[in-house]
């Protein structure tokens, strides 16, 4: 039975307000009108900034065509939550623009489950979208809020600030390499399965971004790889960055999968980690570290900011350069 556009939206994306779980209460806050009209009506409180971002993910570009639909639903929202995290904002509402080759109920069920699970975990309400037929393309717009003037920017770093990253780097790139070399689900050790999971289900650092507000001087999320992303933060702050490659945090799973040199290259140039890159004044570092520890999130100092421009990479004290820059769609 063919599923019509409106049945599809009603069945998979319109959700009744439930029994009042905390995340639902937060998701409902500020929603005057959600799915069903020509547009949603949303309210931020006086004294708050509305924080907006949009990111599309395209089959064959951002994920292999064989990716499980649950992972695609998760990723579409996760990449947007990561942008909100990098601003230190609270994610609140999402809109979903979905282009689908066919209205396949099994696919939609799984896709919606991946999206809704992550939305629920962060108290985000899906308040609208658009549904069309065509090559698979998933675009989510996210809206969040932050107390006026407090959102973290890329431009706020000062000379002498420490450069820190959350979590471990390079895992997602290794996970993607495993998927591409084998077949989906064909990772052949627990470590490799962990790396694939890091690619398929990125964890946006939303709580930490909020905690870093008022402590960090600058932040961005790592979507294209440190080697491509850090120069952008340095340029936005009008400063140079110096990074000691031997300090990059590498997971045990990555170290098991790759040689040390390969692992470092993945940590530098691999995309899709969705960890946060932050700058923090040395005297505030302890507060930031305490916030990370409270969330059970590793935090690692990898370098510092200086007057000047560009990024100086070093390995054990000697100048070194990443073999590849970060990912660029048009290069
Ligand atoms: P319009 O023709 O005015 O653009 P649509 O028919 O596209 O309206 O959508 C009807 C309602 O369903 C709108 O409220 C829209 O925001 C919502 N909607 C459409 N597609 C989706 C989707 N994939 N996810 C969530 N809401 C959607
Ligand atoms: Mg529409």
């Amino acid at each position: 039975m063919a599923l019509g556009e409106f049945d599809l939206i009603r069945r998979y994306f319109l959700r009744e307000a439930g029994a009042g779980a905390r995340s639902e209460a937060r998701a409902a806050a500020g929603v005057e009108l959600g799915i069903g009209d020509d547009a949603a009506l949303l309210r931020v409180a006086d004294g708050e900034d509305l924080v907006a971002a949009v990111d599309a993910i395209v089959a064959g570009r951002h994920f292999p065509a064989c990716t499980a639909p649950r992972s695609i639903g998760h990723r579409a929202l996760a990449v947007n939550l990561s942008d909100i995290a990098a601003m230190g904002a609270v994610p609140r509402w999402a809109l979903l623009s979905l282009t689908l080759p066919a209205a396949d109920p099994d696919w939609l069920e799984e896709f919606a489950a991946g999206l809704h699970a992550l939305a629920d975990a962060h108290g985000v309400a899906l308040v609208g979208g658009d549904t069309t037929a065509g090559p698979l393309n998933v675009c989510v717009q996210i809206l969040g809020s932050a107390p006026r003037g407090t959102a973290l920017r890329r431009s706020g770093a000062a000379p002498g600030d420490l450069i820190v990253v959350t979590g471990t780097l390079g895992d997602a790139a290794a996970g993607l390499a495993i998927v591409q070399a084998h077949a989906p689900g064909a990772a052949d050790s627990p470590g490799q399965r962990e790396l694939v999971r890091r690619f398929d289900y990125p964890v946006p650092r939303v709580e930490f971004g909020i905690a870093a507000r008022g402590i960090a001087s600058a932040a961005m999320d790592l979507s294209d790889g440190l080697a491509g992303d850090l120069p952008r933060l340095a340029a936005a702050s009008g400063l140079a960055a110096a990074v000691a490659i031997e300090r990059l945090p590498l997971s045990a799973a990555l170290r098991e999968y790759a040689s040390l040199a390969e692992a470092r290259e993945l940590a530098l140039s691999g995309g899709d980690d969705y960890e946060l890159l932050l700058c923090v004044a040395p005297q505030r570092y302890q507060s930031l570290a305490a916030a990370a520890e409270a969330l059970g999130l590793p935090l690692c100092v990898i370098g510092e900011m200086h007057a000047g421009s560009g990024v100086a990479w070093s390995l054990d004290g000697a100048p070194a350069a990443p073999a590849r820059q970060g990912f660029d769609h048009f290069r």
Side-chain angles (χ1 to χ4, degrees):
M1 182 200 67
L3 195 59
E5 184 184 323
F6 296 103
D7 297 329
L8 184 159
I9 296 164
R10 197 175 308 117
R11 184 174 315 172
Y12 298 106
F13 300 117
L14 179 65
R15 304 170 87 207
E16 302 302 331
R22 222 170 76 222
S23 80
E24 279 173 11
R26 206 184 91 200
V31 180
E32 294 293 311
L33 189 60
I35 290 174
D37 212 305
D38 293 307
L41 288 174
L42 307 168
R43 254 176 222 176
V44 290
D46 288 343
E48 293 202 322
D49 287 329
L50 182 65
V51 183
V54 63
D55 245 324
I57 59 170
V58 178
R61 273 264 138 197
H62 299 93
F63 55 90
C66 62
T67 301
R70 185 177 290 253
S71 158
I72 299 170
H74 176 99
R75 169 178 301 278
L77 184 59
V79 301
N80 281 279
L81 287 172
S82 183
D83 284 326
I84 290 290
M87 302 302 288
V90 176
R92 302 188 59 186
W93 309 301
L95 294 109
L96 168 67
S97 175
L98 189 57
T99 305
L100 287 173
D104 173 352
D106 295 336
W107 192 95
L108 278 158
E109 187 82 47
E110 282 293 300
F111 171 86
L115 184 94
H116 291 315
L118 188 61
D120 291 349
H122 291 281
V124 168
L126 184 63
V127 295
D130 194 35
T131 308
T132 49
L136 181 60
N137 179 314
V138 187
C139 182
V140 168
Q141 181 184 24
I142 190 114
L143 299 165
S145 61
R148 187 151 301 154
T150 66
L152 293 168
R153 305 175 187 210
R154 296 179 180 185
S155 56
D161 280 0
L162 302 175
I163 304 169
V164 303
V165 293
T166 59
T168 54
L169 304 182
D171 296 336
L176 175 60
I178 291 164
V179 171
Q180 285 172 334
H182 303 269
D188 43 38
S189 72
Q192 290 196 13
R193 279 194 290 280
E194 167 66 14
L195 295 171
V196 171
R197 200 189 53 76
R198 288 270 288 159
F199 176 75
D200 278 341
Y201 294 95
V203 178
R205 304 303 187 186
V206 175
E207 288 75 18
F208 182 67
I210 294 167
R213 193 166 71 198
I215 305 174
S217 57
M220 73 182 295
D221 71 322
L222 291 171
S223 53
D224 295 334
L226 185 68
D229 287 331
L230 178 55
R232 295 179 193 149
L233 184 146
S237 288
L239 294 174
V243 170
I245 292 171
E246 70 277 8
R247 291 192 177 186
L248 299 182
L250 307 173
S251 71
L254 183 62
R255 288 293 294 110
E256 190 186 303
Y257 171 74
S259 71
L260 184 56
E262 286 165 347
R264 285 175 171 160
E265 200 49 50
L266 288 166
L268 281 170
S269 307
D272 299 310
D273 281 322
Y274 298 103
E275 296 293 350
L276 292 184
L277 170 70
L278 308 101
C279 295
V280 60
Q283 65 273 21
R284 293 188 161 179
Y285 173 72
Q286 278 315 324
S287 313
L288 197 65
E293 200 181 334
L295 293 166
L297 182 64
L299 192 68
C300 182
V301 178
I302 61 167
E304 53 183 62
M305 304 299 288
H306 300 288
S309 66
V311 180
W313 306 95
S314 66
L315 181 59
D316 300 325
R324 292 176 292 124
Q325 289 297 302
F327 187 76
D328 182 326
H329 284 279
F330 295 104
R331 244 182 237 150

